[in-house]
């Protein structure tokens, strides 16, 4: 028997939310990402998930980490379990400077702010710089978590085209001119120069200088988000944008991909005046980042072969990238094109015209393969012919099976398209309850 009138309000639908008239206007920009909505389904064991960007943590030496954490609590528990400074511990900030030196950055620990993942860094930077209606330039496509943050602060995203060598400088010039002509203010350029999420491409060294020059000329700050920079498959690193311009770049770093995301330890390196504002923003959000996870990371960096661990990760991801690209080459139908990542977690696939990756997702999930539709990575609903495939988590064997299933889905869609001139789809059902995923 069904009687919606007797249901509690929280089950009866959003329109009955008694708090509706109370929310701040900015909550209109807070919507669940497409990855979140997908994750409950994609995490079922029978589904090969090429969707979430979860690091391959089986590569970590868990037992020795466990022993280390135990020893750390016994030795330093009174500090590690206590409140700490809003900026983060001096020890970790010094170690972070050593990590950044690998990409040519020369920084002082005083200009580093430790954050709860680089996602918090993104939140703080946006909070400090953006008023509602301000424009943020972002690569097209761009990291879904950053788009969510910009939207939560009611900033408006203007996308800038990329190609296989990353952000296109001429497109950047044009976007800046167009925003200026519209009488609006660009607050910053948000870019992921290395092994980009979701496109897998890397900004060429030559373009790095050009992008910095254009932004300096137009008085636009650069926000460089670099969680994957040390995960180049040939061990190559690129000079960080921050290494060439310490005054106009805010740099975001993270231990999520080089160590473990569950620790939620990231950082921001900022010009000194900006750093002061960021510490105040951090203080109001969390008082201080967890002393405990900072102590875990510090101990890991001082006691473990962390560079060796990054090499282990790189090798695991290179094997997976190779498996993905080879399977795509062999199995995907004609008309598909994709990027060839030299590092990081992601391949960006473009499917033949007439197909819609978001609309076909339920069919893919039914055939036990999941991906993230391209539209998730644009602020303007573009990307319906694209999808992001993550190869970081499944084994090469599962990847091959996943690509085989994906190829079958695409073949099926193309057949329908050729027979009927269009493809009919079911919508994602309500049973696919969202669970958290920010990767
Ligand atoms: N930036 C980019 C480009 C990312 O891919 C991610 C995580 N997927 C983040 C920031 C956030 O990372 P975290 O908060 O775990 O450091």
């Amino acid at each position: 028997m069904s009687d919606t009138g007797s249901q509690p309000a929280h089950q009866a639908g959003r329109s009955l939310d008694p708090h509706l008239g109370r929310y701040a206007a900015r909550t209109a920009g807070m919507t669940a990402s497409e990855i979140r909505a997908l994750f409950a389904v994609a995490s079922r064991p029978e589904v090969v998930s090429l969707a979430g960007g979860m690091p391959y943590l089986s590569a970590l030496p868990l037992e020795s980490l466990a022993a280390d954490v135990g020893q750390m609590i016994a030795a330093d528990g009174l500090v590690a379990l206590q409140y700490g400074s809003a900026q983060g511990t001096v020890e970790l900030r010094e170690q972070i400077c050593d990590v950044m030196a690998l990409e040519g950055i020369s920084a002082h620990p005083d200009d580093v702010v430790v954050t709860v993942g680089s996602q918090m860094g993104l939140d703080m930077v946006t909070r400090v710089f953006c008023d509602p209606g301000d424009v943020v330039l972002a690569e097209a496509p761009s990291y879904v978590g950053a788009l969510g943050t910009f939207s939560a602060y009611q900033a408006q995203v203007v996308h800038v085209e990329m190609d296989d060598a990353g952000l296109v400088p001429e497109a950047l010039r044009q976007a800046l001119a167009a925003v200026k002509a519209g009488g609006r203010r660009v607050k910053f350029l948000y870019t992921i120069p290395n092994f980009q999420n979701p496109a897998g491409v890397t900004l060429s060294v030559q373009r790095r200088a050009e992008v910095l020059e254009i932004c300096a000329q137009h008085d636009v700050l650069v926000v460089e988000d670099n969680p994957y920079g040390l995960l180049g498959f040939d061990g190559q690193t690129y000079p960080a944008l921050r290494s060439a311009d310490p005054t106009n770049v805010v740099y975001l770093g993270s231990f999520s991909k080089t160590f473990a995301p569950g620790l939620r330890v990231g950082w921001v390196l900022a010009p000194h005046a900006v750093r002061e504002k960021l510490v105040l923003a951090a203080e109001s959000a969390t008082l201080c980042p967890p002393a405990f996870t900072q102590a875990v990371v510090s101990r890991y960096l001082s006691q473990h072969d962390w560079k060796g661990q990054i090499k282990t990760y790189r090798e695991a991801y290179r094997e997976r990238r190779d498996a993905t690209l080879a399977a795509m080459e062999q199995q995907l139908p004609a008309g598909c094109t994709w990027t060839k990542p030299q590092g990081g977690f992601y391949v960006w696939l473009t499917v033949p015209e007439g197909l819609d990756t978001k609309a076909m997702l339920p069919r893919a999930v039914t055939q036990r393969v999941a991906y993230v539709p391209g539209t998730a990575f644009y602020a303007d609903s573009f990307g319906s012919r694209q999808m992001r495939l993550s190869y970081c988590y499944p084994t090469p064997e599962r990847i091959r099976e996943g690509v085989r299933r994906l190829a079958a889905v695409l073949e099926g869609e193309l057949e329908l398209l050729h027979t009927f001139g269009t493809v009919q789809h079911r919508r994602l059902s309500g049973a696919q309850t969202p669970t958290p995923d920010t990767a």
Side-chain angles (χ1 to χ4, degrees), residues 94-322:
E94 284 170 357
Q95 291 167 314
I96 284 171
C97 289
D98 295 340
V99 173
M100 291 191 293
L102 298 176
E103 293 180 312
I105 294 176
S106 156
H108 195 281
D110 204 29
D111 293 336
V112 175
V113 185
V114 178
T115 56
V116 180
S118 56
Q119 188 69 33
M120 180 184 165
L122 268 167
D123 185 276
M124 280 160 36
V125 169
T126 314
R127 184 141 53 104
V128 160
F129 283 103
C130 291
D131 289 313
D134 281 344
V135 173
V136 169
L137 299 183
E139 291 150 338
S142 199
Y143 167 50
V144 60
L147 296 180
T149 301
F150 303 150
S151 163
Y153 285 102
Q154 299 166 287
Q156 200 197 332
V157 171
V158 171
H159 282 297
V160 184
E161 189 193 330
M162 284 197 298
D163 61 19
D164 285 343
L167 192 74
V168 178
E170 192 45 40
L172 176 60
R173 282 193 193 90
Q174 284 168 12
L176 283 162
V179 174
K180 195 172 169 195
R184 285 174 307 154
R185 173 112 196 254
V186 175
K187 282 298 177 73
F188 57 79
L189 165 70
Y190 170 71
T191 175
I192 307 160
N194 300 314
F195 320 124
Q196 205 248 14
N197 180 2
V201 300
T202 294
L203 185 64
S204 71
V205 172
Q206 191 201 342
R207 284 190 185 176
R208 286 174 195 238
E210 218 177 328
V211 165
L212 287 171
E213 201 183 305
I214 296 168
C215 288
Q217 269 169 9
H218 288 79
D219 193 23
V220 165
L221 182 75
V222 177
V223 176
E224 174 179 29
D225 188 8
N226 189 31
Y228 304 99
L230 298 180
L231 295 177
F233 298 140
D234 301 323
Q236 81 280 29
T237 50
Y238 293 85
L241 296 174
R242 165 60 173 70
S243 71
D245 188 348
T247 57
N248 198 40
V249 178
V250 170
Y251 175 99
L252 305 179
S254 175
F255 289 106
S256 288
K257 322 292 172 173
T258 52
F259 183 15
L263 291 162
R264 311 303 303 126
V265 179
W267 70 91
V268 184
L269 169 67
H272 202 74
V274 177
R275 188 283 273 162
E276 283 179 6
K277 293 261 186 289
L278 292 175
V279 172
L280 295 174
E283 207 163 20
S284 80
T286 66
L287 288 185
C288 59
F292 181 71
T293 52
Q294 291 180 83
V296 171
V297 174
S298 271
R299 195 172 174 101
Y300 172 76
L301 293 173
S302 63
Q303 308 274 317
H304 279 259
D305 176 14
W306 60 274
K307 289 183 188 163
Q309 180 62 47
I310 291 178
K311 189 161 177 274
T312 305
Y313 273 138
R314 277 203 310 254
E315 281 163 9
Y317 296 136
R318 183 176 48 210
E319 189 189 4
R320 286 160 168 72
R321 185 272 319 256
D322 289 346

Side-chain angles (χ1 to χ4, degrees), residues 7 13 16 31 45 60-61 64 78 91 102 136 158 173 252 265 302 305 316 321 338 373 407 410 418 438:
Q7 277 182 347
L16 294 186
T31 52
L60 282 173
S64 87
L78 292 182
E91 184 187 10
L102 298 176
V136 169
V158 171
R173 282 193 193 90
L252 305 179
V265 179
S302 63
D305 176 14
R321 185 272 319 256
W338 55 90
L410 288 168
H418 293 144
T438 53

